[in-house]
Amino acid sequence: MAVVARSGRGGGGSAFSSALRSFFSYRIFVSAMFTLLFFATASVLFSSHPAHFSADSDIETTGRAYMHRTFLALKSDPLKTRLELIHKQASDHVMLVNAYASYARKLKLEISKQLKMFDDMAQNFSDLGVKPTYRTALFESDGPVDEEILRQFEKEVKDKIKVARLIIAENKESYDNQLKIQKLKDTIFAVNELLIKAKKNGAFASLIAARSTPKSLHCLAMRLMGERIANPEKYRDEKPRPEFEDPSLYHYAIFSDNVIAVSVVVNSAIKNAQEPWKHVFHIVTDKMNLAAMKVWFKMRPVEGGAYVEVKAVEEFSFLNSSYVPVLRQLESANLQKVYLDNKADNETSETKDEKNMKSSGNTKHLSMLNHLKFYLPEMYPKLHRILYLDDDVVVQKDLTALWKVDLDSKVNGAVETCFGTFHRYAHYLNFSHPLIKDKFNPKACAWAFGMNIFDLDAWRRERLTEQYHYWQDLNEDQSLWKLGTLPPGLMTFYSTTKSLDKTWHVLGLGYNPSISMDEINKAAVIHFNGNMKPWLDIAMNQFKHLWTKYVDNEMEFVQMCNFGL
């Protein structure tokens, strides 16, 4: 029994020991295989050296590069790890330098010197990696890294990195500024587009304001008309005074339908006249405003004993379509359309851009008041000289010297407006027409209507009204000039105009803000020609007071109509 029992224990122990030895043998075999595989893989990886960097190399951050750095660490060669870090740092700076160069090219900057500097810096990094000494000892050697060579290589790399950082630091701000400048240019362009649009809208709004009748002017005319209706006996027409035809007095001609404007012209002339009782004002208006004009000068008689004659254009019976070409042409439906659709206005001495802003709806050319100036000798047959004034002028000095000016037997005394190539005859007339080309000099200096002293005797002698009719008849098809009265005036008085000193007549206060106050103060007459008339809200504030100081603010209707002066 005892033997059997020992035998049983001994047999079981032998089987267990055999199984245990088999298990550990299998584990040792597997471990050995994995160890061999590990060392084989490590040998393959260690046999590959880090490539020298160049300007076009990419930064190794994943995959093989990661494993490469890992096994360098496992191999316990700190110089290899140090070399890899230096290589990585140099490659990063090469890419940074190239990025700045590329950014500079994209901005199209004129910095060829800087671009060359960046390219040279990148090339220097590349050349450093391929130097024979470093390539052989550091990148192609299978043995340990020479610490002295590595230290020298590291010093050169750091020196170049330092230089690269300095260059980048110096130029980074300029690149940032160039980006800001480009953004600013884009903003300026966008704002400029908005400004152009705003200017066009403003010019159009100003044109509407200039073409419309202000509420205050309409109110004044209606108040004066109401006064005439309420008191007919008070405003009976008087017989013509003999002074109206006395050639020894100083006679003025003013043609307008604007009551307040005419009152300012008369008031300013009288206040600056040395002998106001010798001055006679011939005012012609249209039939609709005749009563209002008469009531004004009845209610507010001129000071100093001056004389005022108010008439309607219809009272001059000779001004009919059988005699006046303009009236005959205005009866033509086609010409009415041309007048209403005009795109240019030669009337004033405004700039070309301002003329081009004239749009349809300008009906002033349809009024006979605008053409009356060509019939002065027939309207006032007993006078020898007469001073023509527009309704948008202000008289600042005594004008009696104009009646004593020697016109050298010429008809029209006027201030010339040309300067350089501007305001020459070519600016107003169509010199492609053979008749214009033959008769006139395109470089001849133009002059202005607005303040003109006319010798009526010389006018009659030269028969200039007939000359005016001749040109007006030829221009029925608008082939000689477009619209306005200045072009036919330049043609009619081509060789019969005497140039006056510029201080007699200063123009442009209705469109030119740059006129100096010194020039204005020296002027005998200032002219608010242009769209910015002094009685409008769009008038230029720096000049408006020159007009408003002659407005009769004590007149009750002016106060009631809220002129806002």
Side-chain angles (χ1 to χ4, degrees):
M1 293 291 294
V3 174
V4 174
R6 283 193 301 270
S7 178
R9 287 193 299 271
S14 177
F16 175 76
S17 298
S18 177
L20 186 63
R21 283 194 302 270
S22 298
F23 173 75
F24 278 109
S25 297
Y26 175 76
R27 290 291 301 274
I28 292 170
F29 174 78
V30 171
S31 297
M33 291 299 293
F34 272 107
T35 301
L36 289 174
L37 181 61
F38 175 82
F39 283 110
T41 303
S43 298
V44 172
L45 292 175
F46 288 154
S47 65
S48 300
H49 301 289
H52 54 270
F53 46 85
S54 67
D56 298 324
S57 65
D58 294 328
I59 301 174
E60 299 176 331
T61 55
T62 57
R64 175 178 171 276
Y66 176 78
M67 292 295 296
H68 181 63
R69 288 192 295 273
T70 302
F71 286 114
L72 277 176
L74 289 173
K75 200 173 181 180
S76 301
D77 188 349
L79 297 181
K80 288 281 187 180
T81 304
R82 186 172 166 188
L83 176 62
E84 174 68 13
L85 292 175
I86 295 171
H87 170 263
K88 174 68 168 56
Q89 195 174 19
S91 297
D92 289 346
H93 282 80
V94 169
M95 294 196 67
L96 185 60
V97 168
N98 286 331
Y100 268 89
S102 176
Y103 183 52
R105 292 187 187 95
K106 184 178 180 181
L107 287 179
K108 298 180 180 179
L109 303 178
E110 296 179 358
I111 50 173
S112 57
K113 184 177 180 181
Q114 293 183 14
L115 289 176
K116 187 176 185 305
M117 186 167 52
F118 282 130
D119 290 338
D120 291 345
M121 181 61 63
Q123 187 63 40
N124 288 340
F125 276 113
S126 179
D127 292 344
L128 185 64
V130 297
K131 285 178 70 172
T133 304
Y134 298 142
R135 184 179 60 194
T136 303
L138 300 178
F139 302 117
E140 296 179 355
S141 173
D142 294 332
V145 175
D146 189 324
E147 185 174 3
E148 185 64 29
I149 295 177
L150 178 62
R151 189 179 295 113
Q152 183 180 351
F153 176 71
E154 181 179 21
K155 182 178 183 302
E156 287 195 46
V157 169
K158 287 185 176 181
D159 288 343
K160 294 187 181 299
I161 288 175
K162 183 178 180 181
V163 173
R165 286 178 176 176
L166 286 174
I167 293 175
I168 292 171
E170 289 176 359
N171 293 280
K172 184 176 183 297
E173 184 178 355
S174 66
Y175 291 143
D176 291 344
N177 288 340
Q178 288 297 334
L179 184 60
K180 292 175 183 176
I181 289 171
Q182 187 61 42
K183 290 181 179 179
L184 183 60
K185 285 181 178 178
D186 295 339
T187 304
I188 290 173
F189 178 80
V191 171
N192 188 55
E193 289 293 307
L194 294 176
L195 178 61
I196 292 173
K197 185 177 180 181
K199 282 184 175 180
K200 288 181 179 179
N201 292 337
F204 183 67
S206 297
L207 196 58
I208 292 175
R211 292 286 173 263
S212 304
T213 300
K215 183 179 178 180
S216 55
L217 287 182
H218 181 72
C219 168
L220 180 62
M222 293 299 100
R223 293 284 183 181
L224 292 168
M225 181 64 75
E227 175 69 14
R228 173 68 173 80
I229 295 172
N231 303 285
E233 297 295 328
K234 187 177 179 180
Y235 300 103
R236 287 183 179 274
D237 292 337
E238 297 178 353
K239 292 181 180 181
R241 301 177 65 98
E243 289 81 5
F244 295 163
E245 297 180 339
D246 186 352
S248 65
L249 301 178
Y250 304 111
H251 293 264
Y252 301 77
I254 306 169
F255 307 142
S256 174
D257 57 1
N258 188 328
V259 177
I260 194 74
V262 172
S263 72
V264 168
V265 177
V266 174
N267 195 27
S268 64
I270 291 300
K271 286 185 178 296
N272 290 286
Q274 295 178 359
E275 300 175 317
W277 60 89
K278 292 184 179 181
H279 294 254
V280 182
F281 296 88
H282 301 274
I283 300 168
V284 181
T285 187
D286 55 29
K287 196 172 183 179
M288 185 172 66
N289 291 281
L290 178 63
M293 196 76 74
K294 285 184 174 182
V295 171
W296 174 279
F297 287 103
K298 278 279 190 177
M299 294 182 68
R300 310 299 295 180
V302 293
E303 300 174 355
Y307 304 96
V308 176
E309 177 191 39
V310 180
K311 280 189 168 186
V313 65
E314 290 80 5
E315 295 181 46
F316 298 92
S317 57
F318 71 91
L319 296 173
N320 52 63
S321 59
S322 63
Y323 178 66
V324 179
V326 170
L327 292 178
R328 184 167 59 253
Q329 292 167 7
L330 287 177
E331 292 177 357
S332 166
N334 291 333
L335 193 61
Q336 287 182 23
K337 185 177 185 300
V338 170
Y339 269 74
L340 289 171
D341 292 342
N342 77 89
K343 300 295 181 184
D345 181 16
N346 310 94
E347 181 60 22
T348 68
S349 57
E350 296 166 83
T351 63
K352 182 177 180 180
D353 290 340
E354 288 163 335
K355 289 189 179 77
N356 290 336
M357 282 308 300
K358 306 292 184 181
S359 64
S360 61
N362 183 7
T363 59
K364 75 175 184 177
H365 302 294
L366 296 173
S367 173
M368 187 59 199
L369 291 174
N370 201 43
H371 301 268
L372 282 183
K373 60 177 77 77
F374 293 104
Y375 299 95
L376 286 169
E378 294 158 285
M379 295 171 67
Y380 307 105
K382 295 185 179 181
L383 301 181
H384 303 308
R385 282 197 178 190
I386 194 167
L387 182 64
Y388 170 76
L389 294 176
D390 273 346
D391 64 355
D392 54 354
V393 305
V394 171
V395 179
Q396 298 189 128
K397 296 181 180 180
D398 182 75
L399 301 179
T400 55
L402 285 170
W403 277 263
K404 301 180 180 69
V405 170
D406 183 6
L407 295 180
D408 297 331
S409 300
K410 295 185 178 181
V411 177
N412 173 31
V415 170
E416 293 181 338
T417 58
C418 62
F419 57 96
T421 59
F422 296 97
H423 299 296
R424 303 284 176 176
Y425 269 53
H427 185 71
Y428 301 95
L429 304 178
N430 177 21
F431 274 85
S432 63
H433 195 289
L435 191 58
I436 297 293
K437 188 176 181 180
D438 291 341
K439 295 287 186 180
F440 304 100
N441 179 2
K443 295 182 180 179
C445 188
W447 43 268
F449 276 129
M451 190 222 72
N452 307 79
I453 184 72
F454 289 112
D455 185 332
L456 300 183
D457 292 332
W459 189 323
R460 298 182 190 103
R461 184 176 63 250
E462 297 290 338
R463 305 177 70 173
L464 292 184
T465 300
E466 293 180 17
Q467 186 75 9
Y468 163 70
H469 285 175
Y470 169 75
W471 292 116
Q472 194 70 53
D473 284 331
L474 287 176
N475 195 51
E476 186 170 1
D477 60 353
Q478 310 288 301
S479 62
L480 305 184
W481 72 88
K482 291 302 180 181
L483 298 174
T485 58
L486 183 56
L490 295 174
M491 300 167 76
T492 301
F493 303 106
Y494 177 56
S495 58
T496 59
T497 297
K498 170 74 172 181
S499 177
L500 301 178
D501 189 278
K502 292 186 181 296
T503 58
W504 279 112
H505 186 193
V506 171
L507 298 101
L509 277 73
Y511 70 90
N512 184 7
S514 63
I515 302 174
S516 69
M517 288 305 300
D518 183 58
E519 185 179 3
I520 291 172
N521 292 331
K522 291 178 181 179
V525 173
I526 54 175
H527 196 167
F528 289 83
N529 58 312
N531 284 335
M532 300 180 187
K533 302 298 184 187
W535 53 83
L536 299 176
D537 290 337
I538 60 174
M540 286 185 278
N541 291 329
Q542 67 266 41
F543 301 143
K544 190 170 184 177
H545 69 280
L546 300 170
W547 184 85
T548 56
K549 68 181 180 179
Y550 291 108
V551 174
D552 189 351
N553 291 304
E554 296 180 1
M555 207 278 187
E556 56 181 308
F557 294 154
V558 172
Q559 298 174 3
M560 293 171 64
C561 290
N562 190 27
F563 270 82
L565 302 175

